[in-house]
Amino acid sequence: MKKTILVSADRGETRVAVLESKTKGGKSDVAELYIERRGQRSIVGNIYKGKVDNVLPGMEAAFVDIGLERNGFLHVDEIVLPNGEQAPKRGRGTGPRIGDLIKAGQEIVVQVVKDPLKSKGARLSMNVSIAGRYLVFAPQGGGVGVSRRLAESERDRLRKMVDRAYDGPGGLIVRTAAHGAKKSDFVREIGYLQKLNGILERRTEQTKAPGLVFQEADLPVRVLRDVFLSEFEKAIVDSPKQCERVTGFFQRTAPELVDKVELYKGKKPLLTKWGIDKEIDSTLVRRVDLPSGGYLIIDYTEALTVIDVNSGSFTGRGKGGLEETITRVNTEAAEETVRQLRLRDIGGIIVIDFIDMARARNRDKVLTTLRKALDADKSKSYVVEVSPLGLVEMTRQNITDGVREILTAPCPTCNGEGVVLSAETVALEGLREMRDLASRDDEAFLLRTNPGVVAELIDPDSGLAELEEETGKQFHFEGGASLPIDTFELVEAGKRDEVEKRALPFEVGEEVLVKIEEPHMYNADDAVARIDSYIVSVNGGGPFVGEQKLVRIERVERTAAVASLLGDAAGNGAGKGEGANSEPDHLESAASRSRRRDPSGGRGRSRSTTSGKEE
């Protein structure tokens, strides 16, 4: 599998896309996306000199001040003793308690292993390590370890090679990216890592807690560092500064790869040229279509991510029957699910609801496909067998925010719930508030709310008429469609004539330009125009549906007005379209007039009309 890395960087944001193709020169698909913004850079890998703020024996953890907005979280199993040895694991309650290992006020060196996510602070460890391309150096460790993701024969070869090249102090872990590496590669990188460790020791002595001691490399370097040597094809970078950093990293760790770094000079944006912008947009969509016609629905919750598999329009082919149709959709879904997990960087608990399969061998086939697809994922994962309910449960390592979390913010209207109150619900709540208002001495009230709510309130069966008749009070409404549906505010209260003058959008005799929207329900010769929830019945407007016409207001009521056509249309019904898009010079927009009445600009329902008042 060949990998191409695209790096696009500007002043505020760096975007990296990892493209994979099964064969050299074959079609490349976007496998992973990373976005990092100024002020929101990942701190995973950063090393800090921190001060223990408080120790919580009940949680077997401590909170450490590392100079960030929130304290970091240090579990007892991540503590290293003063002599450099790992503290015994607590396990099922055995081993020393955290209060015996560290104290409040103590200064310690910690490394971030997980970014602050949502309301949680960064996850910390005292097992400090420095990552290179092929090796991870652990100053407080010992011996040589090798990634379990490599084949057994390759693991043995690499372990023997590193043992011969290094004899301490500290420990080394051979990374998966070292597949196919030579002894000279390890010798060069060991020297590089030891040099970095010397710098780290000096900075630790000089830094006052809490403070940053060592900062992890930039996003492009981190991604390139994790790519297998045998899989790396090329890196295309559109920023000279980032290109220089990537080239410098390869010169220190893998000089043979320097020639594979290209500086992009095309006029068309790099990610647009490769179609990456569309892939970024796709990470925000709930539905993901499958080649067969089936689809996935991806839903996020606080505790887990749920992926639902649906057959959609796929009805099967040939004589395989229902079971074969379902198995094919599920197999496609298993591969696409892993692609989406990597693309969106979804972590934590994941539940996949595959379509129920009757045969055990088909369930095994789908599970095998899922696990095989996960082999290409560098994030650690654990998959459980299919549950009795037909669900596949799994976990995936999540150390930083994914593309979706970086690009989006909770909806200000629904606060991330995904639903809002219905107009009917707000209207019923509003009626209860209006009953309370009716107990005041005021004669009339003007309320601001969404036109959809007004439509519910003016319905004959809403109960508003009964409320007004019972209390002797009068209620008026204003507000445009841009108002949140749950808006229900008192704007003005007082004498009936004063509130009515403020509330009604027109006065008798006004000339206004309206768009005639539909025929009248009871009289085909007449028509209806709407200004938000306010209705204007236009006498003789039937032939002019879809056009703008000048009308004179004949009668004004609380929720509707009656108007008659002016000009040629009023005289003979002819001249269709004549003057429909023109507005007489002496006419003033009713929206402007409304703003004079209401400085807050809240009167949205008259925005599409034109007043005939001359100034």
Side-chain angles (χ1 to χ4, degrees):
M1 184 179 293
K2 296 297 179 181
K3 295 188 179 184
T4 299
I5 312 296
L6 305 180
V7 179
S8 177
D10 52 37
R11 287 180 60 87
E13 182 179 72
T14 301
R15 296 179 292 173
V16 178
V18 179
L19 280 62
E20 293 181 349
S21 61
K22 295 183 179 179
T23 58
K24 188 174 182 179
K27 182 179 179 297
S28 296
D29 296 317
V30 182
E32 296 171 8
L33 289 170
Y34 302 94
I35 297 178
E36 200 167 74
R37 291 179 174 170
R38 176 177 291 184
Q40 298 177 339
R41 178 175 173 173
S42 172
I43 62 171
V44 172
N46 285 5
I47 299 173
Y48 295 87
K49 189 174 185 179
K51 181 178 290 186
V52 179
D53 191 17
N54 56 339
V55 178
L56 305 177
M59 295 179 61
E60 291 292 355
F63 286 97
V64 183
D65 181 6
I66 56 175
L68 302 181
E69 182 180 352
R70 293 194 298 267
N71 288 345
F73 179 86
L74 177 68
H75 189 262
V76 64
D77 289 342
E78 298 294 337
I79 292 177
V80 174
L81 300 176
N83 61 5
E85 295 182 0
Q86 171 71 49
K89 299 286 185 181
R90 280 286 294 169
R92 296 178 178 272
T94 60
R97 299 182 63 85
I98 190 167
D100 301 328
L101 301 175
I102 57 174
K103 304 293 182 184
Q106 180 178 341
E107 293 186 358
I108 57 176
V109 177
V110 292
Q111 187 169 37
V112 177
V113 295
K114 188 173 183 179
D115 272 328
L117 299 176
K118 297 178 182 176
S119 61
K120 299 178 180 178
R123 188 74 180 256
L124 308 176
S125 174
M126 292 177 68
N127 289 294
V128 174
S129 62
I130 306 172
R133 177 163 176 77
Y134 309 114
L135 301 167
V136 175
F137 178 63
Q140 298 165 318
V144 176
V146 183
S147 169
R148 294 183 180 275
R149 297 174 68 90
L150 294 168
E152 194 63 35
S153 58
E154 180 68 0
R155 293 182 68 207
D156 290 340
R157 185 185 75 86
L158 294 173
R159 181 182 286 107
K160 292 175 182 177
M161 191 179 297
V162 175
D163 276 333
R164 290 194 293 267
Y166 181 73
D167 59 358
L172 289 174
I173 300 172
V174 182
R175 309 186 69 193
T176 312
H179 177 77
K182 303 174 183 177
K183 183 178 179 181
S184 58
D185 297 324
F186 292 125
V187 171
R188 180 177 59 248
E189 186 152 298
I190 288 171
Y192 167 66
L193 292 175
Q194 287 180 326
K195 183 178 179 180
L196 283 180
N197 184 54
I199 295 173
L200 173 62
E201 289 177 346
R202 288 195 299 273
R203 287 182 179 176
T204 300
E205 294 176 358
Q206 298 168 0
T207 301
K208 182 179 179 180
L212 176 67
V213 175
F214 174 85
Q215 187 171 34
E216 179 61 292
D218 289 346
L219 175 63
V221 172
R222 297 200 308 269
V223 175
L224 285 162
R225 188 179 62 195
D226 295 338
V227 175
F228 295 1
L229 177 63
S230 59
E231 294 182 348
F232 179 70
E233 190 169 25
K234 61 181 175 179
I236 305 175
V237 189
D238 68 1
S239 163
K241 187 176 181 179
Q242 286 291 348
C243 187
E244 184 179 344
R245 289 180 178 177
V246 170
T247 302
F249 172 72
F250 279 146
Q251 286 174 339
R252 293 190 300 270
T253 60
E256 69 277 10
L257 300 180
V258 171
D259 293 338
K260 294 187 177 184
V261 180
E262 303 175 12
L263 177 62
Y264 179 72
K265 298 181 180 179
K267 294 183 178 179
K268 195 172 184 179
L270 175 62
L271 298 191
T272 301
K273 180 179 179 180
W274 286 74
I276 308 302
D277 289 340
K278 294 180 180 178
E279 291 288 349
I280 293 175
D281 292 340
S282 75
T283 63
L284 307 180
V285 180
R286 288 181 69 227
R287 173 168 170 156
V288 180
D289 291 324
L290 301 174
S292 64
Y295 61 91
L296 308 178
I297 295 292
I298 304 176
D299 282 319
Y300 304 86
T301 74
E302 184 75 20
L304 49 82
T305 301
V306 180
I307 302 176
D308 184 34
V309 182
N310 299 276
S311 58
S313 61
F314 184 59
T315 56
R317 298 186 182 91
K319 301 180 181 179
L322 177 62
E323 182 74 6
E324 291 302 315
T325 299
I326 291 173
T327 302
R328 176 174 174 180
V329 174
N330 282 341
T331 303
E332 287 183 355
E335 293 179 343
E336 183 61 29
T337 292
V338 175
R339 193 178 92 86
Q340 291 298 323
L341 295 181
R342 297 178 64 194
L343 196 64
R344 303 177 185 222
D345 198 15
I346 298 173
I349 300 173
I350 301 157
V351 177
I352 310 168
D353 184 9
F354 287 106
I355 306 172
D356 290 340
M357 294 168 285
R359 298 173 186 168
R361 63 182 177 86
N362 289 335
R363 293 195 292 271
D364 292 341
K365 178 181 178 181
V366 171
L367 201 59
T368 300
T369 301
L370 180 70
R371 285 175 168 155
K372 185 177 180 181
L374 285 169
D375 288 342
D377 185 11
K378 64 181 178 60
S379 295
K380 296 177 183 178
S381 59
Y382 174 71
V383 180
V384 183
E385 299 291 333
V386 181
S387 75
L389 296 178
L391 306 175
V392 172
E393 301 167 19
M394 63 173 288
T395 61
R396 184 174 182 269
Q397 186 182 33
N398 185 20
I399 62 173
T400 189
D401 281 330
V403 175
R404 173 178 173 270
E405 287 74 19
I406 294 172
L407 295 180
T408 62
C411 170
T413 300
C414 71
N415 295 317
E417 295 292 333
V419 293
V420 296
L421 294 175
S422 68
E424 183 180 16
T425 300
V426 178
L428 291 171
E429 287 289 335
L431 278 170
R432 286 188 276 271
E433 291 185 32
M434 291 156 65
R435 184 169 293 279
D436 289 338
L437 289 173
S439 64
R440 294 168 45 165
D441 294 334
D442 301 290
E443 297 175 358
F445 305 89
L446 176 60
L447 298 155
R448 179 177 291 126
T449 188
N450 185 282
V453 177
V454 177
E456 293 286 341
L457 288 169
I458 65 177
D459 186 279
D461 296 326
S462 71
L464 176 59
E466 289 84 347
L467 175 63
E468 291 184 324
E469 184 178 352
E470 176 187 334
T471 61
K473 304 300 175 68
Q474 194 174 71
F475 295 91
H476 295 274
F477 308 98
E478 69 172 23
S482 61
L483 285 176
I485 194 69
D486 60 350
T487 302
F488 204 88
E489 304 167 349
L490 176 64
V491 177
E492 188 174 322
K495 293 183 178 181
R496 180 169 301 193
D497 57 345
E498 294 176 353
V499 174
E500 192 172 82
K501 184 177 180 179
R502 159 74 189 272
L504 298 179
F506 308 116
E507 295 177 5
V508 173
E510 275 191 79
E511 296 177 2
V512 297
L513 192 67
V514 298
K515 182 176 181 181
I516 300 177
E517 296 185 0
E518 60 186 57
H520 197 283
M521 184 180 295
Y522 304 113
N523 191 339
D525 294 333
D526 299 339
V528 170
R530 284 190 178 86
I531 300 94
D532 288 330
S533 59
Y534 197 82
I535 297 172
V536 180
S537 296
V538 182
N539 295 329
F544 306 104
V545 173
E547 300 181 32
Q548 284 186 315
K549 289 295 175 182
L550 188 63
V551 301
R552 178 183 288 115
I553 302 299
E554 305 290 352
R555 187 170 77 251
V556 179
E557 298 175 355
R558 180 173 54 183
T559 60
V562 177
S564 58
L565 290 166
L566 292 178
D568 292 341
N572 53 28
K576 191 166 186 176
E578 204 172 297
N581 295 317
S582 63
E583 184 175 331
D585 293 338
H586 73 283
L587 298 183
E588 177 199 13
S589 97
S592 300
R593 180 196 59 180
S594 297
R595 281 193 292 272
R596 291 204 312 275
R597 287 187 183 179
D598 179 14
S600 68
R603 293 186 54 77
R605 66 184 179 193
S606 300
R607 65 176 184 272
S608 61
T609 67
T610 308
S611 167
K613 282 194 169 184
E614 293 189 32
E615 298 297 330

